[in-house]
């Protein structure tokens, strides 16, 4: 069975160094996770070492994405340059391993027009198969009108947008995520809760702001089994009663414009719950490398839990091939 893994992270040395130079409230504290153990070395290897790891896990093709916060925490002018360089570097890696790698574009969303321009370059000139963004840029949410051109470009070029979690703003962290000790505070604001609330809210606001009515061909991807939205779909759908400007119910957008991936959380109960609320046609596989590193046996066990063989093939590779228009 062919296996395609999306959300397989990497990082450029230039982006790493630029993020390390940020100080105070400009700094994204979650970059600390990138340096734990051998994560940094693995993030910076998109050559033979990466392919060897894929072979050991039984993964046929990986879609690379720059690890959070990518260039979004950086000043706009610097972000534009570093995003372009990172996209060129990813394209070189794909060219060196054309049957094993693809890439998501890294976008400098601090400059919305530059982000749209870079997405078009990546799609038409570099062969990237989508883009990964990390929610808001500064205080500007993704549903701000400034991003209309970005989403119009993504819809026109059939470039899915992966909304990856990022740490909540310092103001929100002060209000809701501090006071329990430095390590617990950071964990609560990131992998324990805050990351997922932030990404799910970004997607929900895009729905509520009418983004998919304006661009019905736009497709989103959410990791971590839908960033809480599927688990709260019945309640979220009640917003349809007050969002009367929308053309459809909120649950309809979630099941027609949003794709869900596993992000290395390979528990069978999460898979079952997801399939209860959306179809197998909308589910994708990822390991969230290098932060999760399931071995080949764990991956086989996960796919064995998919009830039907046809659905198993869709989740393993078929859905990704169709959504990202993958070709050799």
């Amino acid at each position: 069975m062919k296996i395609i893994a999306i959300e397989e992270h990497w990082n450029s040395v230039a982006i790493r160094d630029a993020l390390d130079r940020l100080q105070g409230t400009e700094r994204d504290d979650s970059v600390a996770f990138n340096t734990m153990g051998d994560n940094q070395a693995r993030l910076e290897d998109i050559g033979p070492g990466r392919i060897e790891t894929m072979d050991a896990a039984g993964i046929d093709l990986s879609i690379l994405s720059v690890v959070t916060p990518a260039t979004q925490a950086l000043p706009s002018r610097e972000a534009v340059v570093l995003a372009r360089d990172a996209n060129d570097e990813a394209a070189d890696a794909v060219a060196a391993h054309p049957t094993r790698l693809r890439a998501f574009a890294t976008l400098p969303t601090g400059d919305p027009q530059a982000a749209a321009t870079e997405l078009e370059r990546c799609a038409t000139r570099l062969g990237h198969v989508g883009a990964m963004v990390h929610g808001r840029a500064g205080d500007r949410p993704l549903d701000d009108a400034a991003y209309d051109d970005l989403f119009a470009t993504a819809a026109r070029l059939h470039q899915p947008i992966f909304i990856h979690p990022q740490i909540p703003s310092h103001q929100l962290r002060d209000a809701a995520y501090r006071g329990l000790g430095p390590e617990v505070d950071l964990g609560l604001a990131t992998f324990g809760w805050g990351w997922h609330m932030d990404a799910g809210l970004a997607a929900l606001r895009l729905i509520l702001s009418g983004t998919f009515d304006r661009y019905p061909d736009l497709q989103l991807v959410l990791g971590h089994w839908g960033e809480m939205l599927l688990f709260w779909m019945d309640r979220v759908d009640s917003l349809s009663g007050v969002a009367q400007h929308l053309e459809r119910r909120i649950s309809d957008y979630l099941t027609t414009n949003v794709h869900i991936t596993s992000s290395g959380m390979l528990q069978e109960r999460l898979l079952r719950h997801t399939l209860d609320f959306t179809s197998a046609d909308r589910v994708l596989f990822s390991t969230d490398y290098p932060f999760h590193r399931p071995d080949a046996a764990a991956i086989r066990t996960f796919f064995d839990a998919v009830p039907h063989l046809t659905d198993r093939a869709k989740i393993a590779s078929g859905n990704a091939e169709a959504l990202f228009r993958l070709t050799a």
Side-chain angles (χ1 to χ4, degrees), residues 36-298:
M36 290 182 174
D38 62 352
N39 283 350
Q40 194 68 268
R42 289 177 178 270
L43 285 168
E44 293 170 8
D45 181 358
I46 48 177
R50 177 74 60 127
I51 302 301
E52 182 178 341
T53 300
M54 291 167 56
D55 288 340
I59 293 171
D60 297 281
L61 187 141
S62 289
I63 300 180
L64 302 171
S65 51
V66 171
V67 68
T68 185
T71 60
Q72 288 189 214
L74 300 171
S76 296
R77 182 175 296 181
E78 184 177 20
V80 169
V81 174
L82 290 180
R84 186 180 181 92
D85 290 347
N87 289 325
D88 289 343
E89 186 176 349
D92 289 343
V94 172
H97 303 280
T99 64
R100 306 304 303 277
L101 299 176
R102 293 292 183 274
F104 286 145
T106 299
L107 302 181
T109 56
D111 183 335
Q113 190 54 55
T117 300
E118 182 62 7
L119 177 60
E120 179 135 17
R121 184 182 81 94
C122 288
T124 60
R125 296 182 58 186
L126 300 185
H128 289 9
V129 298
M132 179 173 282
V133 300
H134 300 80
R136 72 189 186 283
D139 294 327
R140 180 188 286 141
L142 276 178
D143 56 283
D144 191 286
Y147 292 115
D148 266 12
D149 195 27
L150 172 61
F151 291 121
T153 301
R156 173 171 54 85
L157 297 175
H158 302 284
Q159 292 282 291
I161 302 292
F162 194 126
I163 301 180
H164 191 275
Q166 67 173 331
I167 199 167
S169 68
H170 279 276
Q171 295 93 325
L172 182 54
R173 291 176 67 191
D174 287 342
Y177 292 100
R178 298 195 197 276
L180 299 169
E183 291 185 359
V184 176
D185 289 353
L186 181 58
L188 182 63
T190 54
F191 60 83
W193 194 258
W195 268 347
H196 314 297
M197 290 290 288
D198 192 90
L201 181 59
L204 183 56
R205 287 181 61 102
L206 284 174
I207 294 172
L208 291 169
S209 65
T211 302
F212 298 101
D213 292 337
R214 295 192 299 277
Y215 311 113
D217 291 335
L218 178 65
Q219 297 293 313
L220 294 185
V221 182
L222 292 176
H224 308 97
W225 297 112
E227 308 295 3
M228 301 187 182
L229 283 179
L230 291 189
F231 297 91
W232 204 242
M233 185 187 286
D234 291 340
R235 192 70 167 173
V236 164
D237 206 25
S238 66
L239 287 169
S240 304
V242 294
Q244 296 182 4
H245 58 287
L246 296 179
E247 296 176 3
R248 297 180 280 154
R249 294 190 65 80
I250 289 169
S251 57
D252 192 30
Y253 298 101
L254 285 171
T255 55
T256 60
N257 293 91
V258 179
H259 302 258
I260 307 299
T261 189
S262 55
S263 300
M265 302 165 63
L266 303 187
Q267 296 91 335
E268 182 180 348
R269 63 182 179 273
L270 299 178
L271 170 67
R272 289 198 308 268
H273 191 284
T274 298
L275 294 177
D276 279 344
F277 283 90
T278 193
S279 76
D281 294 333
R282 314 296 294 185
V283 180
L284 307 164
F285 176 74
S286 77
T287 68
D288 201 11
Y289 180 87
F291 306 105
H292 294 276
R293 303 175 197 173
D295 60 20

